[in-house]
Amino acid sequence: MPRLFVALEVPRNAAMSLSLLRGGLQGARWIDVENFHITLRFIGDVDGRTADEVVDKLDRIERPEFQLSLAGVGSFGSKKPHSIYAGVSPAPEMYALQAEIERICQRLGLPADPRKFTPHVTLARLRNARLEDVVFYLSGRANFVSSPFTVNRFVLMSSKESVGGGPYVTEEVFPLFEAGPSFEAAAMDVHPR
């Protein structure tokens, strides 16, 4: 069974902006542009029945579309950096969606994600990169910002077991609804208090 995870896609224009950050760092293995994404919840290797239950529950999520932009560049692994990423601007709707997905996964018996949700797009995996080279790379790109984009769906993706970074396959697509001026009223009708 392939490894599953729930993600937000990075649209082409934002992915092309990210692609300009590639290069200039010894020991970096750059992620292919078509594999850029924002992981909302890693699920892992599950059996077919559990995968079907996850899809069924995710399909019931009713949330509005929202705006995101990518901002800043950083690294994971402070003393021994292992990856470079682009940050994601904070959006309350994204955090609410991620929290609902996390609750669904736990209700289905999947273990809680031990890491705090830190939205990001992985740009490169590092192997034997020198800390000073990483610091120099990051310092030249700290002011990166993409144009805002609309997130109108989230996806269930799979990956084959590899060293990370793809290729990824979109298994299921879950649309978010268009948030018009009467969104507040509609939300009250859908979820009465």
Side-chain angles (χ1 to χ4, degrees):
M1 185 74 196
R3 293 189 165 165
L4 297 177
F5 60 96
V6 184
L8 300 177
E9 298 159 303
V10 174
R12 183 150 184 76
N13 61 343
M16 295 318 288
S17 295
L18 289 174
S19 73
L20 300 175
L21 300 172
R22 296 163 52 117
L25 181 58
Q26 189 84 25
R29 189 172 58 79
W30 300 97
I31 304 297
D32 291 333
V33 173
E34 61 272 12
N35 288 318
F36 288 154
H37 65 275
I38 301 162
T39 300
L40 295 175
R41 175 57 151 91
F42 181 74
I43 295 172
D45 302 312
V46 293
D47 59 51
R49 195 174 124 259
T50 304
D52 289 344
E53 287 176 353
V54 167
V55 168
D56 180 57
K57 298 292 190 238
L58 293 179
D59 202 34
R60 297 177 191 190
I61 291 177
E62 290 190 24
R63 293 209 168 259
E65 59 186 27
F66 54 93
Q67 293 283 303
L68 272 189
S69 61
L70 307 174
V73 180
S75 66
F76 289 121
S78 52
K79 288 194 169 81
K80 189 166 176 11
H82 55 77
S83 57
I84 299 289
Y85 68 86
V88 178
S89 60
E93 302 91 341
M94 174 183 59
Y95 285 95
L97 174 61
Q98 188 277 334
E100 184 171 356
I101 292 167
E102 179 64 36
R103 284 190 300 274
I104 285 169
C105 289
Q106 288 186 37
R107 274 193 223 116
L108 291 174
L110 297 169
D113 193 333
R115 295 166 297 195
K116 179 180 179 286
F117 176 56
T118 306
H120 66 279
V121 178
T122 301
L123 301 176
R125 309 244 186 248
L126 305 178
R127 177 176 289 160
N128 301 324
R130 295 177 352 165
L131 181 59
E132 49 273 16
D133 292 344
V134 173
V135 169
F136 181 76
Y137 170 86
L138 295 176
S139 68
R141 292 155 182 86
N143 61 353
F144 168 78
V145 178
S146 77
S147 297
F149 55 90
T150 301
V151 175
N152 58 13
R153 68 188 204 171
F154 63 100
V155 295
L156 181 67
M157 298 182 95
S158 66
S159 66
K160 301 284 183 243
E161 192 165 342
S162 68
V163 286
Y168 302 122
V169 176
T170 300
E171 301 288 347
E172 296 284 343
V173 173
F174 306 99
L176 300 171
F177 63 82
E178 196 171 331
S182 62
F183 163 65
E184 288 295 323
M188 298 294 259
D189 290 343
V190 175
H191 303 289
R193 293 197 189 339

